[in-house]
Amino acid sequence: MTPTLPLARHLFAAPTFHYKTGVVFLAWLAGHQNHFTMVAGAQSNRSVPHLTELFRLADAAGILPNPELAVHRMRQFLSLAGVDA
């Protein structure tokens, strides 16, 4: 469980009530859903840097079942956010 502690701390960082954005983001990266869209645009409750760090920590913790898919989706996300990856 030790490798997941930095991920959990980041996921539940203040404001804690936006943790759901991170959970949905990780589910999308992992391939458990085919979109990163939330009710009322809640996917924008966390910043691009926050979600980028979440991706890095998830990779470090080894929780992404298909790393190639996760990288592909992360590149899509960054491209839509206007960041060259």
Side-chain angles (χ1 to χ4, degrees):
M1 298 231 355
T2 301
T4 64
L5 290 177
L7 174 65
R9 287 185 181 116
H10 189 70
L11 183 67
F12 291 100
T16 305
F17 55 88
H18 290 313
Y19 77 92
K20 294 174 193 166
T21 302
V23 171
V24 172
F25 186 68
L26 290 175
W28 174 65
L29 288 176
H32 299 303
Q33 59 190 52
N34 61 5
H35 59 82
F36 176 46
T37 305
M38 298 175 67
V39 173
Q43 69 274 7
S44 64
N45 286 340
R46 292 290 194 181
S47 68
V48 171
H50 179 89
L51 294 174
T52 301
E53 180 66 4
L54 194 64
F55 168 72
R56 189 191 68 74
L57 292 169
D59 180 52
I63 67 158
L64 298 169
N66 184 340
E68 294 80 20
L69 175 64
V71 167
H72 174 73
R73 289 184 171 185
M74 189 65 194
R75 284 189 175 135
Q76 286 180 322
F77 170 75
L78 292 172
S79 177
L80 287 171
V83 178
D84 289 328

